Amino acid sequence: MEFSEAKNKFIQTWGALGSQWGINKTMAQIHALLMVAPDALSMEDIMEELQISRGNASMNLRALMDWGIVYKEYKAGERKEFFIAEKDLDELAVKIAQERSKREIKPALKVLKDVSSGVKNDTSAEAKHFTAQTEKLYDFVLKADNMIEKVTEMKENWIGRLVMKIMK
Amino acid sequence: MEFSEAKNKFIQTWGALGSQWGINKTMAQIHALLMVAPDALSMEDIMEELQISRGNASMNLRALMDWGIVYKEYKAGERKEFFIAEKDLDELAVKIAQERSKREIKPALKVLKDVSSGVKNDTSAEAKHFTAQTEKLYDFVLKADNMIEKVTEMKENWIGRLVMKIMK
DNA sequence: ATAAAGTTTCATTATTTTTTGAAAGTTTAA
DNA sequence: TTAAACTTTCAAAAAATAATGAAACTTTAT
């Protein structure tokens, strides 16, 4: 297999996987590209390689930076901005877990709490079942979210320790 | 809050959450509806409640059954089919994890293995970096997938034990 | 065997999401 | 201060995804 073929296959697959997980294709592709790039890439480089417009590149790079998994880098003597991906996979996993928890799980928990405790003065079997069921769901999602938090804390500490060790 | 209002809010939220996680809105809404329904619902009931077409209801019910999180139920004397949701949340989580692993992670692993071990006779720095990086990614995703497997096995055994206990 | 009751399929239509590109905005060097 | 180099925004267009509904199919009771 040619290198360019392999690279392309990797970027396409990562993009498709992103879509399936609710992350847009271009965002996932840019991330994939940066993950395997040995050096920081400019917006031009990215547009060229993925054949996408400037606006698209700009918006998705911003999104990746908001997620904390891509960083800007300035090169001496260059006016352009360059971009690099978080390449530590543990760190990547932690960041993604934290962002999804913050953006999706937390708001869902709020709604679950509201609806499970909000129905008053309705003694129908349907209403009672609803309240019981949504309460269970609230507890379950809360536990799952706490578990994610625990795991990411653990990873962060582990990474923290590693960083300390390296920097001495 | 009225019961109908709470119910609606729950179904809408669950649907929106589904979209964000790459599951279509109607599929998630049907699941939400069945989760809080005290009894099995017919396709008519579901169409009525969610204001969706027969075709849409049929296809998404099929998808939910393929995922193993909704079951058909036949009522004595009724020709119609009725549907109920998996209500055990541990079981639900296990099923979803298993399906996503099978449908998305396993195929991704295959591609990662192919591209990480497929580039030969290219000594450029870029190619070397690519191979190293995709290898790391392969190992990481493989480990994550194994972890999911371990956790679901554990949950399954726990459920198995519980079922045994109940049935004596 | 057949007709009624019910379900599934799939070409077409509608909706949602993503992408484009040109205009507006920003920063930097001189 | 200004103009060149670069980035961001956002309305409009394109692409992708989901929903409809009528026809085809299946099952069941007689």
Side-chain angles (χ1 to χ4, degrees):
Chain A
M1 188 165 25
E2 289 293 323
F3 163 57
S4 64
E5 189 193 340
K7 183 172 168 185
N8 210 55
K9 197 169 170 187
F10 170 66
I11 290 172
Q12 295 308 320
T13 303
W14 213 240
L17 209 62
S19 316
Q20 277 172 316
W21 284 87
I23 285 159
N24 97 41
K25 195 182 66 179
T26 305
M27 186 170 156
Q29 286 182 341
I30 293 177
H31 185 248
L33 176 59
L34 291 175
M35 288 269 291
V36 298
D39 305 302
L41 299 180
S42 71
M43 203 148 98
E44 300 282 345
D45 296 336
I46 293 165
M47 286 163 59
E48 162 92 9
E49 186 107 24
L50 302 178
Q51 290 291 307
I52 57 172
S53 71
R54 187 170 294 286
N56 197 6
S58 172
M59 288 183 106
N60 283 298
L61 279 166
R62 158 140 316 288
L64 285 163
M65 288 188 295
D66 289 347
W67 278 67
I69 58 181
V70 162
Y71 315 109
K72 267 189 191 169
E73 211 175 58
Y74 298 96
K75 286 193 185 173
E78 286 261 29
R79 188 134 146 205
K80 241 182 277 188
E81 297 173 341
F82 291 81
F83 301 90
I84 51 168
E86 173 61 65
K87 280 176 188 158
D88 181 314
L89 297 176
D90 285 311
E91 186 67 11
L92 179 65
V94 166
K95 289 258 173 76
I96 290 173
Q98 284 179 340
E99 283 296 310
R100 298 214 85 146
S101 166
K102 191 170 77 190
R103 291 167 199 238
E104 293 144 25
I105 301 179
K106 296 285 193 306
L109 274 172
K110 192 191 168 309
V111 173
L112 278 174
K113 196 175 201 171
D114 289 352
V115 299
S116 72
S117 64
V119 181
K120 309 285 184 199
N121 312 317
D122 188 331
T123 54
S124 70
E126 214 193 340
K128 278 192 214 151
H129 187 263
F130 175 83
T131 297
Q133 205 59 21
T134 49
E135 258 168 24
K136 270 188 215 158
L137 209 46
Y138 174 77
D139 290 342
F140 187 83
V141 176
L142 185 64
K143 257 181 214 144
D145 190 46
N146 285 340
M147 219 174 78
I148 289 170
E149 239 163 53
K150 286 282 161 5
V151 171
T152 59
E153 269 167 27
M154 190 193 81
K155 291 224 175 194
E156 282 192 327
N157 285 342
W158 182 79
I159 283 161
R161 271 184 266 130
L162 188 65
V163 170
M164 285 299 182
K165 213 188 273 179
I166 288 165
M167 302 197 343
K168 186 93 47 48
Chain B
M1 189 163 26
E2 291 291 323
F3 163 57
S4 65
E5 189 193 338
K7 183 171 168 186
N8 210 55
K9 197 169 168 188
F10 170 65
I11 291 172
Q12 295 308 320
T13 304
W14 213 241
L17 209 63
S19 314
Q20 277 174 317
W21 284 85
I23 283 159
N24 96 43
K25 195 182 66 181
T26 305
M27 186 168 156
Q29 286 183 340
I30 294 177
H31 185 248
L33 176 60
L34 291 174
M35 289 268 290
V36 297
D39 306 302
L41 299 180
S42 71
M43 204 146 96
E44 300 281 345
D45 296 335
I46 293 165
M47 285 162 58
E48 162 93 8
E49 185 108 26
L50 301 179
Q51 290 291 307
I52 57 170
S53 70
R54 187 171 294 285
N56 196 7
S58 172
M59 287 183 108
N60 282 298
L61 279 166
R62 159 140 314 288
L64 285 163
M65 288 188 296
D66 289 346
W67 278 69
I69 59 181
V70 162
Y71 315 109
K72 267 190 192 169
E73 210 174 58
Y74 297 95
K75 286 191 184 174
E78 288 261 30
R79 188 135 145 205
K80 242 183 275 187
E81 297 174 339
F82 291 81
F83 300 90
I84 50 168
E86 173 61 63
K87 281 175 187 158
D88 181 314
L89 297 175
D90 285 311
E91 186 67 11
L92 179 65
V94 166
K95 288 260 174 75
I96 290 173
Q98 284 179 339
E99 283 296 311
R100 297 214 87 145
S101 166
K102 192 171 76 191
R103 291 168 199 237
E104 293 144 25
I105 301 179
K106 295 286 194 303
L109 274 173
K110 192 191 167 309
V111 172
L112 278 175
K113 195 175 200 169
D114 289 352
V115 299
S116 72
S117 64
V119 181
K120 309 285 184 198
N121 311 317
D122 188 332
T123 54
S124 70
E126 214 193 338
K128 277 192 212 150
H129 186 263
F130 174 83
T131 298
Q133 206 58 22
T134 50
E135 256 168 26
K136 272 188 215 160
L137 208 47
Y138 175 78
D139 290 342
F140 186 83
V141 176
L142 186 63
K143 258 180 214 147
D145 190 47
N146 284 340
M147 222 174 76
I148 289 169
E149 239 163 53
K150 287 284 162 1
V151 172
T152 60
E153 269 167 26
M154 191 195 78
K155 292 223 175 195
E156 281 191 326
N157 284 342
W158 183 80
I159 282 160
R161 271 184 266 129
L162 187 67
V163 170
M164 284 303 184
K165 212 188 275 180
I166 289 164
M167 300 197 344
K168 187 89 50 44

